[in-house]
Amino acid sequence: MSFTKLTRDYSAAQSLMEMLYSPGLLLTACQKGSLGLLIGGIFAAAMSTLSASMNSSATAYCVDIHFRFGLSKHNQLSVAKIATLIIGLTGIVFAFLMATWNGITLGMKCRR
């Protein structure tokens, strides 16, 4: 296989991937109802993943730090809920900080 054919195949595959990831393809190829279901499914998957990671982080904090050092074992559910709230708020603050930084991000490196 020659080098020119390989580069031509690679550029064709790259342009196909760019076309598949563009929102314009979804708007033209999907009907309105199925597009809404697709977007709803993506949001549901993201929220489920975020919820699981926040709850597991709060559980790890409660079991490994809070209860191990003899801090209040009364009303363990309230401690876990407050830990989840603090972890969630910390994540929101870091998301806003990272969005406003002027440094080079991973997304900027991938676009090059």
Side-chain angles (χ1 to χ4, degrees):
M1 183 175 275
S2 68
F3 180 72
T4 55
K5 182 171 178 2
L6 237 144
T7 54
R8 187 177 56 229
D9 290 345
Y10 175 74
S11 63
Q14 188 176 10
S15 64
L16 177 66
M17 292 303 289
E18 289 173 1
M19 184 183 73
L20 288 176
Y21 288 127
S22 70
L25 178 70
L26 289 176
L27 291 174
T28 57
C30 294
Q31 296 175 351
K32 290 182 182 177
S34 61
L35 182 62
L37 285 174
L38 178 69
I39 292 172
I42 291 171
F43 276 117
M47 289 188 312
S48 171
T49 302
L50 186 61
S51 172
S53 65
M54 284 175 32
N55 286 330
S56 67
S57 298
T59 301
Y61 162 75
C62 289
V63 171
D64 293 341
I65 297 172
H66 194 85
F67 302 142
R68 179 178 290 180
F69 295 116
L71 301 173
S72 86
K73 284 196 173 185
H74 301 293
N75 210 356
Q76 295 178 358
L77 184 61
S78 295
V79 172
K81 284 182 179 181
I82 291 170
T84 303
L85 178 69
I86 291 171
I87 290 169
L89 291 175
T90 304
I92 291 170
V93 167
F94 275 115
F96 280 124
L97 284 175
M98 291 176 68
T100 58
W101 283 344
N102 290 329
I104 295 175
T105 62
L106 181 62
M108 293 171 94
K109 286 186 177 182
C110 290
R111 286 187 204 129
R112 289 183 183 177

